[in-house]
Amino acid sequence: MTKKEKRDPSLLVTDRSARSRVQRIAKGSGRQVGDVQEFLVQFQQMRTMMSRMAKGVPGGPGGGEDEMAMASAPKAKSGNRASRRAKANKAGKGKGFGGGGFGK
């Protein structure tokens, strides 16, 4: 990896030349391109988890919830997404057109 890539790992994902960068790294390390891509995915997951731990977001170690409880619990909708949908549904009712169906 170049010094620039070490300082900014997002270049390996978002840059226009990301594919050739990953191929160069794979060739230089004696690995397959898929191995390097898998490593980048794991790196990003770890980075996200560390960020959440630092913020104290539930779902990670130190975040206030048990990992096993999270794994066995059904996945809930994202709070922000659910609130936007509820707001849209609430705003859509009572406009005087559509909906209702069959004489309602």
Side-chain angles (χ1 to χ4, degrees):
M1 289 178 73
T2 63
K3 289 181 181 181
K4 187 176 181 181
E5 292 165 348
K6 288 178 183 178
R7 269 183 269 140
D8 187 12
S10 65
L11 291 173
L12 299 171
V13 180
T14 59
D15 192 39
R16 286 187 342 202
S17 60
R19 172 172 271 159
S20 63
R21 288 178 189 267
V22 170
Q23 289 173 341
R24 176 180 44 79
I25 291 168
K27 187 176 181 181
S29 65
R31 304 283 182 179
Q32 297 289 323
V33 173
D35 294 337
V36 175
Q37 290 173 333
E38 184 179 340
F39 174 77
L40 289 171
V41 167
Q42 290 174 353
F43 172 78
Q44 188 60 41
Q45 288 172 342
M46 186 63 69
R47 182 184 237 184
T48 302
M49 185 177 73
M50 291 298 194
S51 174
R52 288 180 179 172
M53 280 178 34
K55 293 177 185 177
V57 175
E65 289 191 18
D66 185 27
E67 282 287 323
M68 294 304 283
M70 286 291 291
S72 64
K75 301 247 183 226
K77 290 183 181 179
S78 173
N80 191 24
R81 184 176 185 187
S83 65
R84 284 193 316 248
R85 285 184 173 183
K87 189 182 289 186
N89 287 339
K90 189 175 184 181
K93 293 184 179 179
K95 287 187 177 180
F97 56 88
F102 299 114
K104 287 188 176 181

